[in-house]
Amino acid sequence: MGLWEEHIRKVVPYVPGEQPQGDRVIKLNTNENPYPPAPGVIKALREMNPELLRRYPDPSACQLKETLAGYCHLGTDNIFVGVGSDDVLGMAFLTFFNSGKPILFPDVTYSFYPVWADLFGIPYETVKVTGAFEILPEDYRRECGGIVFPNPNAPTGICLPLSQVEDIVRQNQDVVVIVDEAYIDFGGESARNLIHRYENLLVVQTFSKSRSMAGMRIGYAMGSRKLIKAMEDVKYSYNSYTMNYASIVLGAAAVRDDQYFKETVGKIIETRERAKGKFAGLGFSGTDSRTNFLFVSHERVPAAEIFRALRERQIYVRYFPVPRLDQYLRVTVGTDDEMEEMFGFLETYLDS
């Protein structure tokens, strides 16, 4: 080993969901929206001025921030935007978790949290969820360097009521509490309504799920002016041009097309609720998901076996080969046709 190799930062990276290729693939493994972006986004794309692609984008992304601020009933100084919610969360970890005390997050949760903690040298402790995968607010009433958790949680799909989210924030006002709301539009109440009450609360959302724009990489945070200013100071010390021109324009268009957003979210919720019954009829059990995915386990067939059988049929779902999760599959809610094809295969496969 060369001496220079001793000084390379070594981390265990996050492993994203598989991205299969082909026309006959049913892709239910990465929680993407099965419906296309809003008509307003398509219109804005066609009208976009290609001349502006040769110029640097607005580093403050004012057009997008102003649109989000109006939609969320906040000031533009309460909004931070980034390249997907992963970029926003990573920037928040870098900005706020520097006390030297361990931060807290659930032991069954988004697997990027420990990766960021390791990358930035942040000590952390995982807080055990219950046997039913529930987060208990009282478990977070202890000294720490900060808290982060998704609501609804991933990969379980369980959503805390706003009163329990507020309990965690209220009991930890000496540290920053980050609520990761990637899936909130599918069945929960956003904590953004608590921002004016708690200066230490940061709420993070994304365009990748409910707004059908995973390919554009748009995420944002909502918080007090102090939190947002601190994040922007770190951002401008690292890379001032993080969001491209197309994402700014198309992201604003997506927010303005609110009727389409509500229609597609409603369709996904309806499909999800029907799918719960279908899974139960086939011998699966799972959590009461409030997301755009289902977290299910079969009564007699191992999850790994079902995962492999589906994959051979070009139907992709997510399997986590780790303790406590290795008997569960995470299945994105697709279109009605996609779900029916999956259930048709499962019915034949499980009968055999």
mmCIF file of all heavy atoms in Angstrom, residues 8 25 62 67 104 138 145 159 189 204 238 280 300 338:
data_model
loop_
_atom_site.group_PDB
_atom_site.id
_atom_site.type_symbol
_atom_site.label_atom_id
_atom_site.label_comp_id
_atom_site.label_asym_id
_atom_site.label_seq_id
_atom_site.Cartn_x
_atom_site.Cartn_y
_atom_site.Cartn_z
ATOM 1 N N ILE A 8 -6.702 8.175 2.543
ATOM 2 C CA ILE A 8 -7.977 8.229 1.831
ATOM 3 C C ILE A 8 -9.112 8.023 2.824
ATOM 4 O O ILE A 8 -9.046 7.129 3.676
ATOM 5 C CB ILE A 8 -8.027 7.148 0.725
ATOM 6 C CG1 ILE A 8 -6.992 7.446 -0.367
ATOM 7 C CG2 ILE A 8 -9.425 7.057 0.113
ATOM 8 C CD1 ILE A 8 -6.902 6.366 -1.423
ATOM 9 N N VAL A 25 -39.960 -4.310 -18.170
ATOM 10 C CA VAL A 25 -39.677 -4.280 -16.737
ATOM 11 C C VAL A 25 -40.830 -3.623 -15.977
ATOM 12 O O VAL A 25 -41.378 -2.608 -16.408
ATOM 13 C CB VAL A 25 -38.371 -3.505 -16.478
ATOM 14 C CG1 VAL A 25 -38.200 -3.186 -15.002
ATOM 15 C CG2 VAL A 25 -37.182 -4.305 -16.977
ATOM 16 N N CYS A 62 -34.068 31.615 -6.793
ATOM 17 C CA CYS A 62 -35.158 32.459 -6.301
ATOM 18 C C CYS A 62 -36.514 32.043 -6.843
ATOM 19 O O CYS A 62 -37.509 32.037 -6.101
ATOM 20 C CB CYS A 62 -34.883 33.919 -6.677
ATOM 21 S SG CYS A 62 -33.696 34.720 -5.588
ATOM 22 N N THR A 67 -41.763 30.264 -5.255
ATOM 23 C CA THR A 67 -42.942 29.428 -5.519
ATOM 24 C C THR A 67 -43.229 28.507 -4.335
ATOM 25 O O THR A 67 -44.374 28.352 -3.915
ATOM 26 C CB THR A 67 -42.739 28.609 -6.802
ATOM 27 O OG1 THR A 67 -42.394 29.484 -7.883
ATOM 28 C CG2 THR A 67 -44.003 27.854 -7.169
ATOM 29 N N LEU A 104 -29.108 10.985 17.236
ATOM 30 C CA LEU A 104 -30.005 9.848 17.377
ATOM 31 C C LEU A 104 -30.857 9.688 16.122
ATOM 32 O O LEU A 104 -31.335 10.671 15.562
ATOM 33 C CB LEU A 104 -30.938 10.045 18.581
ATOM 34 C CG LEU A 104 -30.313 10.351 19.938
ATOM 35 C CD1 LEU A 104 -31.416 10.569 20.968
ATOM 36 C CD2 LEU A 104 -29.368 9.233 20.371
ATOM 37 N N GLU A 138 -40.889 8.922 23.547
ATOM 38 C CA GLU A 138 -40.221 8.950 24.856
ATOM 39 C C GLU A 138 -38.791 8.409 24.794
ATOM 40 O O GLU A 138 -37.967 8.713 25.667
ATOM 41 C CB GLU A 138 -41.033 8.168 25.894
ATOM 42 C CG GLU A 138 -41.358 6.748 25.514
ATOM 43 C CD GLU A 138 -42.711 6.589 24.844
ATOM 44 O OE1 GLU A 138 -43.139 7.520 24.118
ATOM 45 O OE2 GLU A 138 -43.337 5.524 25.043
ATOM 46 N N GLY A 145 -26.717 14.966 20.394
ATOM 47 C CA GLY A 145 -26.178 16.035 19.558
ATOM 48 C C GLY A 145 -27.108 16.432 18.430
ATOM 49 O O GLY A 145 -26.767 17.280 17.604
ATOM 50 N N CYS A 159 -46.407 6.043 9.971
ATOM 51 C CA CYS A 159 -46.428 7.497 10.135
ATOM 52 C C CYS A 159 -46.795 7.876 11.558
ATOM 53 O O CYS A 159 -47.796 7.397 12.110
ATOM 54 C CB CYS A 159 -47.439 8.100 9.159
ATOM 55 S SG CYS A 159 -47.371 9.902 9.060
ATOM 56 N N GLU A 189 -49.449 14.306 8.181
ATOM 57 C CA GLU A 189 -49.573 15.754 8.359
ATOM 58 C C GLU A 189 -48.183 16.335 8.538
ATOM 59 O O GLU A 189 -47.439 15.933 9.431
ATOM 60 C CB GLU A 189 -50.445 16.070 9.582
ATOM 61 C CG GLU A 189 -50.708 17.541 9.781
ATOM 62 C CD GLU A 189 -51.603 17.833 10.979
ATOM 63 O OE1 GLU A 189 -52.036 16.860 11.641
ATOM 64 O OE2 GLU A 189 -51.844 19.023 11.261
ATOM 65 N N VAL A 204 -37.675 18.402 5.904
ATOM 66 C CA VAL A 204 -37.106 18.167 4.577
ATOM 67 C C VAL A 204 -38.105 17.407 3.713
ATOM 68 O O VAL A 204 -38.679 16.406 4.149
ATOM 69 C CB VAL A 204 -35.777 17.380 4.680
ATOM 70 C CG1 VAL A 204 -35.207 17.103 3.284
ATOM 71 C CG2 VAL A 204 -34.772 18.145 5.533
ATOM 72 N N TYR A 238 -19.125 25.680 -0.152
ATOM 73 C CA TYR A 238 -18.829 24.383 -0.756
ATOM 74 C C TYR A 238 -19.070 24.395 -2.258
ATOM 75 O O TYR A 238 -18.205 24.043 -3.050
ATOM 76 C CB TYR A 238 -19.701 23.317 -0.071
ATOM 77 C CG TYR A 238 -19.624 21.949 -0.700
ATOM 78 C CD1 TYR A 238 -18.464 21.182 -0.590
ATOM 79 C CD2 TYR A 238 -20.706 21.421 -1.395
ATOM 80 C CE1 TYR A 238 -18.387 19.925 -1.165
ATOM 81 C CE2 TYR A 238 -20.636 20.164 -1.969
ATOM 82 C CZ TYR A 238 -19.478 19.421 -1.859
ATOM 83 O OH TYR A 238 -19.402 18.177 -2.427
ATOM 84 N N ALA A 280 -53.077 -9.173 1.635
ATOM 85 C CA ALA A 280 -53.639 -9.947 2.742
ATOM 86 C C ALA A 280 -54.298 -11.225 2.230
ATOM 87 O O ALA A 280 -54.163 -12.299 2.845
ATOM 88 C CB ALA A 280 -54.643 -9.104 3.516
ATOM 89 N N ARG A 300 -45.544 -17.928 4.972
ATOM 90 C CA ARG A 300 -44.809 -19.193 4.894
ATOM 91 C C ARG A 300 -43.638 -19.191 3.904
ATOM 92 O O ARG A 300 -42.724 -19.992 4.031
ATOM 93 C CB ARG A 300 -45.762 -20.333 4.520
ATOM 94 C CG ARG A 300 -46.481 -20.151 3.218
ATOM 95 C CD ARG A 300 -47.451 -21.299 2.897
ATOM 96 N NE ARG A 300 -48.231 -21.032 1.698
ATOM 97 C CZ ARG A 300 -47.807 -21.228 0.461
ATOM 98 N NH1 ARG A 300 -46.590 -21.705 0.269
ATOM 99 N NH2 ARG A 300 -48.583 -20.953 -0.574
ATOM 100 N N GLU A 338 -49.764 -2.400 -13.433
ATOM 101 C CA GLU A 338 -48.526 -2.995 -12.920
ATOM 102 C C GLU A 338 -48.798 -3.841 -11.684
ATOM 103 O O GLU A 338 -48.259 -4.943 -11.537
ATOM 104 C CB GLU A 338 -47.516 -1.899 -12.602
ATOM 105 C CG GLU A 338 -46.936 -1.222 -13.830
ATOM 106 C CD GLU A 338 -46.054 -0.040 -13.478
ATOM 107 O OE1 GLU A 338 -46.325 0.634 -12.445
ATOM 108 O OE2 GLU A 338 -45.098 0.235 -14.221
#
